[in-house]
Amino acid sequence: MLRTADNVFSVVLDNSTKTAANLPAVGTVVTDSNLEEGAIVAVDAGMRRMDAAAYGTADRYRIVQGKGTGKQLMISPMITKKSATLSTSKHRVPVQQVSVVGYNGTTGALPAANSTDYFIKIRKNDNDAANRSQPMSLFAGPVRTDATPTQAELAFALRLNGIANFKDEPANNYLTFDVITGATGTATPAGVGTITAVKGSKVLTVTGTTVATTFPVGTAVRLGTTVSSPIFLVTASDNAAKTITLDAPVNASGTFAAGAAQSITAANLAAGACGVVLTGVQADFNVNSFRDYYVNRFTVTFSDVSTLVTTSGARTGSGVWQQVAMDEYMSYGFEGENSMLGVPPRMRDQEVIEGGKYGCIEVSWTESIQGLVSLQGGKGSVLFYVNLDATSGLLGATSTGSKLVTVLGKTAAEVQQ
């Protein structure tokens, strides 16, 4: 996060639906009755609204957020321009960790020794108050191969065991298991029609009537057309019911027109290299309950140390709404909203838009307090989170946040996605 405050910390954020056209006139004293909830402006020492010209000649200023008529304004500390530094952060989406055991779409393979035990060990921290104090270990496996094993058989068994083992653990729903293969597939014909997958279900529905011919038991369905698309073992198919039953539930809903999915014969499946894909899933977040935010990170090891394990690391992102909620939550402690350790805890105000995207301007400074209480300077920080379009991540041209970005001498390109 951008938080760098040892002594003073303040957060202000705008709502992109509040337009600059409704702001009080430049030079007008800003009050709770003339500044809309979610609108944001720069003011001088007398609480008069500033435009870019006034800001350019001012020595000091504040940033103010409207909270609604009859409610106290959120007012930042007084900022001295000559001692303050402005830095910007673009919105960056979070990225989940992906680890692959065996075939990763390019190289690698699972072992296929007969009558051998294999397991995947996952070690991770959980983002909940009960289980995040220390790492915990969970396993997919052990599973034992038979006398004539294939990589696909091992991959499917590890996936099923991992799903079962995680089901009743605190880490449930924090990771997903998928299987991929380099085996050649054939595009689904028009006779199968459109395939529909529903997250959490083992049953695919189709619109065609030749599903049993294309997907007999023992073949595989690839939900996609690339080697990185997940595959599932077909355990039943029914022309009359227009369904395909899989060995495991799918991890994402989707619709696949004819040709957008593939069938893989049992022979191709048995000969193909396979891998097990573990993907982090963003945990549920509630600022008053979790009081923390991060994407899930974990380590993956395999019982056969010669097997390739490939990891693409997670990124927390920047300007993610959960981060903004955390910073907003902490800033209200400076506003006197305490008693958070009570039972039940006292809720703090929240203006952040859940699911929203934000860019950020940080105003930071250090003031000399030597000889008073410290030999070091006192640090201060104001985080101005500007609300972006939830889809495109772009900064609108008419919002109060957009106006303030301009007043502070910054551009949309410095904060938007």
Side-chain angles (χ1 to χ4, degrees), residues 3-352:
R3 190 185 308 120
T4 56
D6 293 336
N7 298 89
V8 177
F9 176 63
S10 181
V11 171
V12 288
L13 58 151
D14 87 304
N15 184 316
S16 62
T17 65
K18 307 304 178 182
T19 62
N22 293 327
L23 290 173
V26 173
T28 301
V29 174
V30 173
T31 68
D32 63 282
S33 60
N34 63 15
L35 186 64
E36 289 183 289
E37 180 179 0
I40 192 165
V41 292
V43 299
D44 61 18
M47 288 294 290
R48 293 177 289 268
R49 182 193 161 198
M50 303 168 69
D51 59 9
Y55 173 81
T57 59
D59 295 324
R60 300 187 301 166
Y61 67 99
R62 299 179 189 266
I63 301 175
V64 179
Q65 172 190 338
K67 299 280 289 179
T69 301
K71 296 184 179 180
Q72 183 176 339
L73 296 168
M74 176 62 77
I75 305 173
S76 79
M78 186 65 70
I79 302 167
T80 302
K81 283 175 61 178
K82 67 178 182 180
S83 61
T85 300
L86 272 68
S87 57
T88 60
S89 176
K90 294 175 177 284
H91 176 82
R92 291 179 173 85
V93 298
V95 176
Q96 297 295 332
Q97 177 178 331
V98 179
S99 293
V100 186
V101 179
Y103 178 71
N104 60 16
T106 303
T107 187
L110 288 173
N114 60 353
S115 302
T116 303
D117 291 328
Y118 295 104
F119 63 83
I120 301 171
K121 179 180 179 180
I122 302 102
R123 190 157 176 82
K124 68 180 300 293
N125 273 359
D126 292 326
N127 186 20
D128 65 84
N131 301 288
R132 68 184 177 200
S133 60
Q134 59 184 354
M136 65 185 301
S137 296
L138 294 167
F139 294 86
V143 297
R144 189 171 183 83
T145 57
D146 59 20
T148 57
T150 66
Q151 292 186 46
E153 290 173 348
L154 177 58
F156 290 143
L158 287 169
R159 173 170 63 187
L160 285 175
N161 193 277
I163 292 172
N165 286 355
F166 271 61
K167 182 178 180 181
D168 297 321
E169 297 291 340
N172 186 31
N173 299 322
Y174 286 14
L175 299 175
T176 62
F177 292 85
D178 272 312
V179 174
I180 61 173
T181 182
T184 300
T186 302
T188 51
V192 171
T194 299
I195 298 175
T196 300
V198 177
K199 180 179 178 180
S201 174
K202 290 184 179 182
V203 179
L204 306 178
T205 58
V206 301
T207 58
T209 57
T210 65
V211 62
T213 303
T214 304
F215 293 104
V217 173
T219 61
V221 56
R222 176 181 277 147
L223 296 179
T225 58
T226 69
V227 291
S228 60
S229 302
I231 67 167
F232 298 85
L233 184 66
V234 176
T235 61
S237 54
D238 190 321
N239 284 338
K242 298 183 179 181
T243 59
I244 306 170
T245 304
L246 310 176
D247 68 312
V250 299
N251 290 316
S253 298
T255 301
F256 304 85
Q262 293 182 344
S263 62
I264 303 174
T265 65
N268 283 355
L269 183 62
C274 292
V276 179
V277 182
L278 292 80
T279 305
V281 176
Q282 186 57 57
D284 292 336
F285 177 83
N286 180 293
V287 68
N288 287 299
S289 299
F290 288 86
R291 306 182 189 177
D292 198 3
Y293 164 74
Y294 54 84
V295 293
N296 290 305
R297 292 177 169 87
F298 48 95
T299 60
V300 175
T301 55
F302 190 56
S303 54
D304 182 280
V305 295
S306 65
T307 300
L308 178 66
V309 177
T310 309
T311 293
S312 174
R315 295 199 302 271
T316 302
S318 178
V320 181
W321 76 265
Q322 295 97 326
Q323 291 176 323
V324 180
M326 281 304 309
D327 280 335
E328 183 186 34
Y329 175 92
M330 297 301 295
S331 73
Y332 279 116
F334 286 86
E335 300 298 316
E337 293 192 15
N338 298 309
S339 304
M340 299 311 299
L341 297 180
V343 180
R346 174 185 171 188
M347 299 296 103
R348 292 181 175 177
D349 289 354
Q350 179 175 307
E351 299 292 336
V352 66

